[in-house]
Amino acid sequence: MSEVATVAIGWGLTFVVIVTYSLWVVSRGRTIGRKIGIGEVHQSGQLQESDLPTDT
């Protein structure tokens, strides 16, 4: 194998590893977020406690 092919394979494998790891991190973050209640989607017809007017 030539040096150019070796370098191209190295860069390709590095790219695949970085993309795979990035997708895993995003997936793991979403899973953890759901478990602790961050980023929950609420139905638009319901009021949240923070939407209620205050009497101050």
Side-chain angles (χ1 to χ4, degrees):
M1 213 188 289
S2 70
E3 291 84 14
V4 173
T6 304
V7 171
I9 290 173
W11 276 102
L13 288 174
T14 302
F15 179 75
V16 168
V17 167
I18 289 173
V19 168
T20 303
Y21 180 70
S22 299
L23 292 173
W24 178 81
V25 167
V26 169
S27 172
R28 184 72 180 139
R30 288 182 179 172
T31 302
I32 292 171
R34 269 189 241 117
K35 286 183 179 180
I36 62 175
I38 296 175
E40 292 179 347
V41 178
H42 298 283
Q43 293 180 359
S44 60
Q46 297 177 344
L47 288 177
Q48 297 177 13
E49 189 174 340
S50 61
D51 295 335
L52 297 175
T54 57
D55 294 334
T56 58

